[in-house]
Amino acid sequence: MNNAHVFPVRVYYEDTDAGGVVYYANYLKFAERARTEMLRGLDAESSRLIEDEDVVLAVHHCSVDYLKPARLDDMLEVHTRLTKVGGASLNLEQDVMRGSDDVARMKIRLVCMSLSGRSARIPAGLKTKFNNLLNSNEQV
Amino acid sequence: MNNAHVFPVRVYYEDTDAGGVVYYANYLKFAERARTEMLRGLDAESSRLIEDEDVVLAVHHCSVDYLKPARLDDMLEVHTRLTKVGGASLNLEQDVMRGSDDVARMKIRLVCMSLSGRSARIPAGLKTKFNNLLNSNEQV
Amino acid sequence: MNNAHVFPVRVYYEDTDAGGVVYYANYLKFAERARTEMLRGLDAESSRLIEDEDVVLAVHHCSVDYLKPARLDDMLEVHTRLTKVGGASLNLEQDVMRGSDDVARMKIRLVCMSLSGRSARIPAGLKTKFNNLLNSNEQV
Amino acid sequence: MNNAHVFPVRVYYEDTDAGGVVYYANYLKFAERARTEMLRGLDAESSRLIEDEDVVLAVHHCSVDYLKPARLDDMLEVHTRLTKVGGASLNLEQDVMRGSDDVARMKIRLVCMSLSGRSARIPAGLKTKFNNLLNSNEQV
C-alpha cells in the first residue's frame, strides 16, 4: 500500500482470546483507532466533527479477510488508504501488517451523518482535505 | 449469598484471553449485566432512569478478588445482593459462581448522578424499592 | 430468514459507545455468541471440538452491512442460517434484528483448522450434522 | 506519584459507552497495557515470562476509585508504581491522569503462577529487577 497512513498497534491480553490469537472483532478496534488518527492528522477528529460540523462519520459497511493470526505482544501496523471520496461517503482500505506479513485486510465504507442520524453531505472544507489525501495516495 | 438476584452468564471467546481464562476486566461486564437485570426487575433499567428520572447510577468504586479462573464455555452465575441504601448511593456485593465455586467476589458502590454529572439524591419511589429489596435480602 | 437459528441479545452499556449506539465491532461478538449456541445445539461447542476432534472453526472472512443503529436496553435477535457446507469450510448468513427491523446483516465464512493452525477437513460426523442443518434450512 | 512509570492512552470510541464516558471496565485494560509496558522495560513481557520462566503474573485483586469521567479523544496517562515485592506477589498503584486531574485510582495485586495454575515464587533474576525498581520508586 503506497502512501498509506501507518498506525502502530501493540497486542495486549485484552485483544487476545483463548485460541491464543487476536479475537476477530478486535481488528475492527485497531482499524478504528487508525482511522481516527488519520482523521486527527486532517484536524477532523471525532469530537471536533461533532462540535464544529454537527456530523459524524459512521461505518456503513466493512469486510475483513483474516489471513494470518496475530498473537500476544505482537507489534502490528494498520496501513490505511482512502480509495474513494463521495458526496456523503468515504471508502477506505485498511491492512493490518506484522512486518511484511498481511494479517488482515479490511474494506470500509463510512457515511457522513448529521447528529440526528440522517445522511449528510461531507462539509466542503473537509471534502477538500479528503480529496487532497486521495490524490496524494494515487500519485505514487 | 441468601436472597441474592441470580443472573446466568455463558463464557464465550470474546470473554477469554490468551491465558485460556476469562480476562480480568470482563468480570466487570458480567457484573454490570447482572445489576442491570436486577434494576430492570425493579422497573429501573438504565434507559428508563435517564428518560423518566433524569439520573444515572454510576460506579464510584469497585473491588474484585479473583479466586478461580473461569474458562471457555463455562456456565457462570452472578449473585447480586444490595447491602446498603444511602441517600445518593448504593452498595452491592456481587459473586461470580461456577456451581458452588466462588470464581470472583466484587464489592461495588454506585452513586446517583444527574445527567449533568452532579451527585443527586436517589428519587423517592426508587429508594423505596431499593429499601424493600434490602430488607428482603436481610430477612433470611 | 426461514428456519434460522434464533439467539436473543440484550444491549448493555458495555456494547454501546459515546455515539449512543452499539459499537460496530460488537455485532461480531453477538454473531459469535449466536454461532456458538447453534453449534452447541449440534453438540459441537468450541471446547468439545478442541478436545474430541482436535479442530477449531475459525473466522476466515466476514462482511457486515450496518442498516440501523441499536441502542442501550434494546432486545435484539441474531438469526443464523447455514448457507454452504464445504470440505473444510462453512458459509453462514447472520442477521441482527430488532423486532422486524434489520439492524445488521453479516456474511461469515468459517474454516476448519487443526490445533496446529493448518486447514483441516471437517470431521465426518460433524459434516453430516451440518448437511442435515443445511437441508432443513433449504426445505422451506 | 513520584518516579512512576508513565504510559499514554488515547480514548477511542471502543473505550466509551452510551453515557458519553469511558466504560468502567476499560480502565482495567488501560492499566494492564501500562503494566505490560513497565514489565517490557524490565525485559519481562508476558510472552517472554511464559517461554523462558514458565510463569505468568496474574491479577489476584484490584480495586478502583472512579474520580472523574474521561471522554472521547481525551489523552490520558497511566502512572504505575510498584509498592511491594513479595516472594510470590507484587503490589502496584496505578493512577489514570488527564493532565493534573486524577481520573481513576487503582490498587492491584499480582501473583506469580506456574503455567499449570499454581502459585509460584517470582524467579530470582526477575525479583532483583522488581526490587531495584521498588527502591528507585522510594528514593524520591
Side-chain angles (χ1 to χ4, degrees):
Chain A
M1 252 192 206
N2 287 319
N3 255 14
H5 176 270
V6 178
F7 179 74
V9 173
R10 174 72 77 170
V11 177
Y12 295 107
Y13 269 113
E14 65 182 278
D15 304 312
T16 60
D17 68 23
V21 300
V22 171
Y23 182 65
Y24 86 128
N26 291 339
Y27 290 101
L28 276 66
K29 296 185 177 180
F30 300 168
E32 171 136 39
R33 294 180 204 170
R35 291 195 303 275
T36 300
E37 295 307 328
M38 191 190 78
L39 289 170
R40 202 187 314 281
L42 300 175
D43 198 25
E45 58 261 62
S46 316
S47 49
R48 212 194 64 73
L49 287 185
I50 292 170
E51 267 182 49
D52 296 358
E53 307 277 4
D54 295 323
V55 296
V56 294
L57 294 171
V59 179
H60 187 247
H61 175 82
C62 76
S63 73
V64 192
D65 288 300
Y66 299 93
L67 304 174
K68 288 177 189 279
R71 295 177 194 282
L72 190 63
D73 287 327
D74 274 357
M75 195 68 227
L76 307 176
E77 284 180 350
V78 184
H79 291 222
T80 302
R81 201 164 60 99
L82 199 56
T83 57
K84 190 179 165 192
V85 178
S89 69
L90 298 175
N91 288 18
L92 303 101
E93 291 179 4
Q94 298 193 278
D95 284 8
V96 180
M97 313 287 296
R98 183 182 47 222
S100 59
D101 280 349
D102 250 314
V103 168
R105 272 192 206 138
M106 281 178 254
K107 292 188 179 184
I108 305 278
R109 183 177 172 83
L110 300 176
V111 291
C112 187
M113 298 180 81
S114 70
L115 298 187
S116 62
R118 300 193 172 212
S119 176
R121 297 193 69 76
I122 298 174
L126 199 55
K127 193 169 173 183
T128 302
K129 289 178 183 177
F130 290 144
N131 273 318
N132 290 343
L133 185 62
L134 181 65
N135 291 333
S136 76
N137 283 342
E138 287 172 345
Q139 281 167 359
V140 180
Chain B
M1 253 193 207
N2 287 318
N3 254 14
H5 176 271
V6 178
F7 179 74
V9 173
R10 174 71 78 171
V11 177
Y12 295 106
Y13 268 115
E14 66 182 276
D15 305 311
T16 61
D17 68 22
V21 300
V22 170
Y23 182 65
Y24 85 128
N26 292 339
Y27 290 101
L28 275 66
K29 296 185 178 181
F30 300 168
E32 171 137 38
R33 294 179 205 171
R35 292 195 304 272
T36 300
E37 295 305 329
M38 191 191 76
L39 290 171
R40 201 187 313 282
L42 300 175
D43 199 25
E45 56 260 63
S46 317
S47 49
R48 210 195 63 74
L49 288 184
I50 292 170
E51 268 182 47
D52 297 358
E53 308 277 5
D54 295 325
V55 297
V56 295
L57 295 171
V59 180
H60 188 245
H61 174 81
C62 77
S63 73
V64 193
D65 288 300
Y66 299 94
L67 305 174
K68 287 178 190 278
R71 295 178 193 281
L72 189 64
D73 287 328
D74 275 358
M75 193 70 227
L76 307 175
E77 283 180 349
V78 184
H79 292 223
T80 302
R81 201 165 59 99
L82 200 55
T83 56
K84 190 179 167 194
V85 177
S89 68
L90 298 175
N91 288 18
L92 302 102
E93 291 178 5
Q94 300 193 277
D95 283 8
V96 181
M97 314 286 296
R98 184 183 45 222
S100 59
D101 280 349
D102 250 313
V103 169
R105 272 192 207 139
M106 281 177 254
K107 294 188 179 183
I108 305 279
R109 183 177 171 81
L110 300 177
V111 292
C112 187
M113 298 179 81
S114 69
L115 298 186
S116 62
R118 299 195 174 208
S119 177
R121 296 192 71 75
I122 299 174
L126 198 56
K127 193 171 174 183
T128 302
K129 289 178 183 177
F130 290 144
N131 274 318
N132 290 344
L133 185 63
L134 182 65
N135 292 333
S136 76
N137 283 341
E138 286 171 347
Q139 281 167 358
V140 179
Chain C
M1 249 190 206
N2 287 319
N3 255 14
H5 176 271
V6 178
F7 179 73
V9 173
R10 174 71 76 172
V11 177
Y12 295 107
Y13 269 115
E14 66 183 275
D15 304 310
T16 60
D17 68 22
V21 300
V22 170
Y23 182 65
Y24 86 127
N26 292 339
Y27 290 101
L28 276 64
K29 297 186 177 180
F30 300 167
E32 171 137 38
R33 295 180 204 169
R35 292 196 303 272
T36 300
E37 295 307 328
M38 191 190 78
L39 290 170
R40 201 186 316 280
L42 300 175
D43 200 25
E45 57 260 58
S46 317
S47 48
R48 211 195 64 74
L49 287 185
I50 292 170
E51 268 182 47
D52 296 358
E53 307 277 5
D54 295 324
V55 296
V56 294
L57 294 172
V59 179
H60 188 245
H61 175 80
C62 77
S63 73
V64 193
D65 288 300
Y66 299 94
L67 304 174
K68 288 177 190 279
R71 296 179 192 281
L72 188 64
D73 288 327
D74 275 357
M75 193 69 227
L76 307 175
E77 284 180 350
V78 184
H79 292 224
T80 302
R81 201 164 60 98
L82 199 56
T83 56
K84 190 180 167 192
V85 177
S89 68
L90 297 176
N91 288 18
L92 303 102
E93 290 178 4
Q94 299 193 277
D95 285 7
V96 181
M97 313 286 296
R98 183 181 47 222
S100 59
D101 280 350
D102 250 313
V103 168
R105 273 193 206 137
M106 280 178 254
K107 294 189 179 184
I108 305 278
R109 184 177 171 81
L110 301 176
V111 292
C112 187
M113 299 180 79
S114 70
L115 298 186
S116 62
R118 299 195 173 209
S119 177
R121 297 194 68 75
I122 298 173
L126 199 56
K127 192 171 175 184
T128 302
K129 289 179 184 177
F130 289 145
N131 273 318
N132 290 344
L133 184 63
L134 181 65
N135 292 332
S136 75
N137 284 342
E138 286 171 345
Q139 281 167 359
V140 180
Chain D
M1 251 190 206
N2 287 318
N3 255 13
H5 176 270
V6 178
F7 179 74
V9 173
R10 173 71 77 170
V11 176
Y12 295 107
Y13 268 115
E14 66 182 277
D15 305 310
T16 60
D17 68 22
V21 300
V22 170
Y23 182 65
Y24 86 127
N26 291 339
Y27 290 101
L28 276 65
K29 296 186 177 181
F30 299 167
E32 170 136 39
R33 294 180 204 170
R35 292 196 304 273
T36 300
E37 295 306 328
M38 191 191 77
L39 290 170
R40 201 187 315 281
L42 301 175
D43 201 24
E45 57 261 62
S46 316
S47 50
R48 210 195 64 74
L49 287 184
I50 292 170
E51 268 182 47
D52 296 357
E53 307 277 4
D54 295 324
V55 296
V56 293
L57 294 171
V59 180
H60 187 247
H61 174 82
C62 75
S63 73
V64 193
D65 288 300
Y66 299 94
L67 304 174
K68 288 175 189 280
R71 297 179 191 281
L72 188 64
D73 287 328
D74 275 358
M75 193 70 226
L76 307 175
E77 285 181 350
V78 184
H79 292 223
T80 302
R81 200 164 61 99
L82 200 55
T83 56
K84 190 179 166 194
V85 178
S89 68
L90 298 175
N91 288 18
L92 303 102
E93 291 178 3
Q94 299 193 276
D95 284 7
V96 180
M97 313 287 295
R98 182 183 46 221
S100 60
D101 281 348
D102 250 313
V103 168
R105 273 193 206 137
M106 282 179 253
K107 292 189 179 183
I108 305 278
R109 183 176 171 83
L110 300 177
V111 292
C112 187
M113 299 179 80
S114 70
L115 298 187
S116 62
R118 299 193 175 212
S119 177
R121 296 194 69 76
I122 298 174
L126 198 55
K127 193 170 175 183
T128 302
K129 289 178 185 179
F130 291 143
N131 274 317
N132 290 344
L133 185 62
L134 181 65
N135 292 333
S136 75
N137 285 342
E138 287 170 346
Q139 281 167 1
V140 178

